[in-house]
Amino acid sequence: MRHIEYKDIDENVYKETLDNGLEVFIIQKSGYNKKFVTYTSKYGSIDNHFKVDGKEHRVPDGIAHFLEHKMFEKEDGDVFDLFAKGGANANAFTSYDRTSYLFSTTEDFYKNLTLLMDMVEKPYFTEETVAREIGIINEEIKMYQDNPGYRLYFDTIGQMYDELPVKIDIAGTLPSISEITKDHLYLCHDTFYHPSNMVLIMVGDFNVEEAMKFVKDHQDGRGKIKPLDVERILPDEKRNVVKPEHSLYLDVAETKVMLGFKNEKIDSDKERLTRDLAMMFGLDMVFGEQSDYYYQMLEDGIIDDSFNFAHNEEKDFAHILMTTQTDDPGKFTQTILDIIEDIKNKDIFEEDKLINQKREVLGDYLSSLNSPEYIANQYTKYHLDGYDLYQLPEIIEQITVEDIKKYIFDALNPEYMVECVLQPEDEKVSTDG
């Protein structure tokens, strides 16, 4: 077992890769009453095409999310009820590239840990339970389809990405869900819930040796598990967008617009994190609530307090999204384009601003380290992205004004921008008429 001590922030991590390939991290938080655990598979919604030991498979969209739902259902009942009886709060989520199961508790820790590991490691699927779940998830998908913000987001993503499955809802589609069988579920569980593709992270006040031994004994009890040769197959996505302009009409009272700027993916883990942080600082300098551009747009009525922006940096894709409610989407879009052109000729990326931003971000970061939930989830995210949550301050300190300029001018390229406008249905009727 390896011990990693971060003296500057008084954090201690214990790490071991077990014989079956499972990575286990114990993050010691002395004096904490609550314990928080995540058990995560490096398997998400974009993993719909892969090879296992040389054999190629394509599975229906939405299967990772479907599998997450089904893992809580066992032959003898719902595992949620068992967690509740054990004094634990349990949950799970699926993203584009991972599926995570988690619980927090202040009592019966090892009982709940066993329950979590058994639940994730021992699937139970029948044709009957799969058919029932198809109906449940179909209703979930229909509900999301009635959500205007959801529709605007996925219509925008769909105009940016041509091939990459990121354009498909994590839950799948009504047609794809109807194709899922128990054989699909067992295939994906056997492939992606293999211990060598999973990470177990425990945060709290532990007897570290005892906790690690408990996990080892549990994993040894699974017997010898054959290694797998798994190859994920993703399409070659170009930076060009599918369609620069798009409108949708729904039962809404106000018009809303979303702009998307598509970026190239970065293969280097460290450079990807550097760009992500640089973009966060840069976008805040230009469009944040303290910026002159923000106040001017607000004063001119181009945006309201619904305006927001975000940079999304993942291993397989990257983009910026901006959205606001507005009476004049064309004016909003043109104003953003004018600002992008304006910042090329003005020295708005200043060292003093960056220093203040770093102080604020580091302050929030250090405060968050008091939360076992934050640590477990973020440590998982950064680890799977190829980096270390506790080395984040080092990367933040290394970000320069030149980094910001390098990345933001490339990212905010109008050539790779899409505009998606959500409008009330009656406007379409009047336009058609």
Side-chain angles (χ1 to χ4, degrees), residues 155-354:
D155 274 38
T156 304
I157 295 295
Q159 301 315 305
M160 283 198 289
Y161 292 94
D162 185 29
E163 300 287 343
L164 203 64
V166 65
K167 67 180 182 178
I168 300 167
D169 181 6
I170 288 170
T173 64
L174 295 177
S176 73
I177 291 303
S178 67
E179 297 174 2
I180 293 176
T181 68
K182 69 181 180 68
D183 291 336
H184 287 128
L185 296 175
Y186 278 116
L187 167 66
C188 292
H189 186 277
D190 291 346
T191 301
F192 294 108
Y193 284 59
H194 191 279
S196 63
N197 195 55
M198 301 199 70
V199 180
L200 179 68
I201 294 179
M202 301 181 283
V203 182
D205 191 350
F206 297 98
N207 176 325
V208 174
E209 297 288 345
E210 176 186 85
M212 188 65 78
K213 182 178 186 303
F214 186 89
V215 175
K216 280 183 181 178
D217 289 345
H218 177 93
Q219 294 301 316
D220 288 344
R222 299 174 68 182
K224 188 171 179 61
I225 298 175
K226 184 185 78 168
L228 290 179
D229 179 17
V230 179
E231 177 190 350
R232 291 169 168 84
I233 303 172
L234 286 174
D236 182 22
E237 178 75 37
K238 306 298 182 185
R239 190 174 180 184
N240 294 338
V241 301
V242 178
K243 183 181 174 186
E245 296 177 357
H246 175 72
S247 294
L248 69 154
Y249 300 86
L250 298 174
D251 184 16
V252 295
E254 303 290 345
T255 298
K256 202 166 187 179
V257 59
M258 180 174 283
L259 303 182
F261 293 85
K262 187 177 180 181
N263 211 339
E264 297 277 11
K265 73 170 186 174
I266 291 178
D267 292 327
S268 163
D269 294 333
K270 183 175 181 180
E271 186 180 356
R272 189 166 55 249
L273 179 57
T274 298
R275 181 170 74 175
D276 194 24
L277 292 168
M279 288 299 303
M280 176 184 68
F281 291 134
L283 287 171
D284 191 60
M285 285 188 197
V286 180
F287 299 107
E289 293 185 3
Q290 305 304 315
S291 74
D292 293 338
Y293 292 117
Y294 175 86
Y295 279 117
Q296 192 62 56
M297 286 193 292
L298 201 60
E299 189 174 303
D300 293 344
I302 295 169
I303 62 171
D304 61 13
D305 58 8
S306 70
F307 173 68
N308 67 78
F309 55 89
H311 174 252
N312 191 352
E313 185 80 55
E314 302 289 348
K315 276 193 172 185
D316 298 302
F317 62 91
H319 56 248
I320 298 166
L321 296 176
M322 299 182 189
T323 186
T324 193
Q325 190 169 286
T326 177
D327 293 329
D328 191 343
K331 189 174 182 180
F332 167 74
T333 300
Q334 188 57 53
T335 300
I336 296 297
L337 292 174
D338 290 343
I339 291 172
I340 292 170
E341 194 61 33
D342 197 47
I343 63 175
K344 295 176 183 176
N345 305 308
K346 289 186 177 178
D347 195 18
I348 73 160
F349 302 110
E350 300 171 357
E351 188 66 34
D352 288 348
K353 289 181 183 178
L354 180 57

Side-chain angles (χ1 to χ4, degrees), residues 48 57-64 66-67 126-127 130-135 137-138 141 168 171-188:
N48 59 8
H57 300 275
R58 285 183 181 271
V59 294
D61 292 319
I63 200 163
F66 198 107
L67 189 57
T126 68
E127 295 293 1
V130 170
R132 184 167 62 244
E133 195 66 38
I134 287 173
I137 294 181
N138 275 345
I141 292 172
I168 300 167
T173 64
L174 295 177
S176 73
I177 291 303
S178 67
E179 297 174 2
I180 293 176
T181 68
K182 69 181 180 68
D183 291 336
H184 287 128
L185 296 175
Y186 278 116
L187 167 66
C188 292

Side-chain angles (χ1 to χ4, degrees), residues 68-188:
E68 173 221 313
H69 274 226
K70 293 304 300 170
M71 294 309 297
F72 284 93
E73 185 179 354
K74 304 299 180 186
E75 190 170 10
D76 54 355
D78 191 329
V79 183
F80 271 119
D81 295 336
L82 299 179
F83 276 115
K85 290 177 182 176
N89 293 314
N91 211 335
F93 66 86
T94 305
S95 70
Y96 293 116
D97 64 352
R98 70 200 65 173
T99 306
S100 196
Y101 302 85
L102 49 98
F103 77 85
S104 63
T105 189
T106 58
E107 56 187 277
D108 288 334
F109 173 72
Y110 288 114
K111 177 182 176 181
N112 285 299
L113 179 59
T114 300
L115 184 59
L116 177 72
M117 291 191 290
D118 283 345
M119 179 191 80
V120 172
E121 295 161 5
K122 299 175 181 178
Y124 169 72
F125 313 124
T126 68
E127 295 293 1
E128 181 184 0
T129 60
V130 170
R132 184 167 62 244
E133 195 66 38
I134 287 173
I136 293 170
I137 294 181
N138 275 345
E139 290 305 310
E140 183 180 325
I141 292 172
K142 289 176 184 177
M143 180 183 67
Y144 284 132
Q145 289 292 331
D146 291 334
N147 183 303
Y150 168 95
R151 289 287 304 278
L152 179 61
Y153 170 79
F154 270 103
D155 274 38
T156 304
I157 295 295
Q159 301 315 305
M160 283 198 289
Y161 292 94
D162 185 29
E163 300 287 343
L164 203 64
V166 65
K167 67 180 182 178
I168 300 167
D169 181 6
I170 288 170
T173 64
L174 295 177
S176 73
I177 291 303
S178 67
E179 297 174 2
I180 293 176
T181 68
K182 69 181 180 68
D183 291 336
H184 287 128
L185 296 175
Y186 278 116
L187 167 66
C188 292

